[in-house]
Amino acid sequence: MQRLRDHIEEIMSLTDEEFEYIKTFFTLRKVRKNQFLLHESDEVKFEFLALDGIYKVFYIVKMEKNILYSLPKRTGG
């Protein structure tokens, strides 16, 4: 969770008490290579923050495939 705190503190300072409250809204989830976070028919109920690695986001609009590749900023080693 330290990486989450570092990410937030790039924008604003937090006390330990504030961060303890904020982190109750987050769950760490590890995703293996080629594993999906969501499938086409899934309802999006969460926001995702990638801490490491490359991920692919795509959606289909009127039979056109739009693809976005993104590399999250690495914080620390």
Side-chain angles (χ1 to χ4, degrees):
M1 288 287 183
Q2 183 60 43
R3 292 173 81 181
L4 173 62
R5 184 173 185 156
D6 293 343
H7 180 74
I8 294 169
E9 287 190 330
E10 288 179 7
I11 301 165
M12 61 181 291
S13 298
L14 295 172
T15 66
D16 290 340
E17 184 178 288
E18 290 169 331
F19 183 67
E20 288 301 314
Y21 175 72
I22 289 170
K23 78 178 188 179
T24 64
F25 295 95
F26 290 85
T27 302
L28 183 62
R29 179 176 172 192
K30 294 187 179 198
V31 180
R32 293 184 312 275
K33 184 177 181 176
N34 297 320
Q35 183 179 357
F36 289 92
L37 286 173
L38 297 169
H39 292 89
E40 183 177 353
S41 62
D42 291 347
E43 179 182 350
V44 179
K45 297 180 181 179
F46 308 101
E47 294 285 333
F48 297 96
L49 172 64
L51 298 176
D52 198 10
I54 298 174
Y55 57 95
K56 179 170 62 173
V57 177
F58 70 94
Y59 58 94
I60 299 172
V61 178
K62 295 182 182 177
M63 304 304 290
E64 294 179 23
K65 189 173 182 181
N66 298 301
I67 300 175
L68 166 68
Y69 291 94
S70 181
L71 179 62
K73 179 180 177 184
R74 289 181 183 246
T75 55

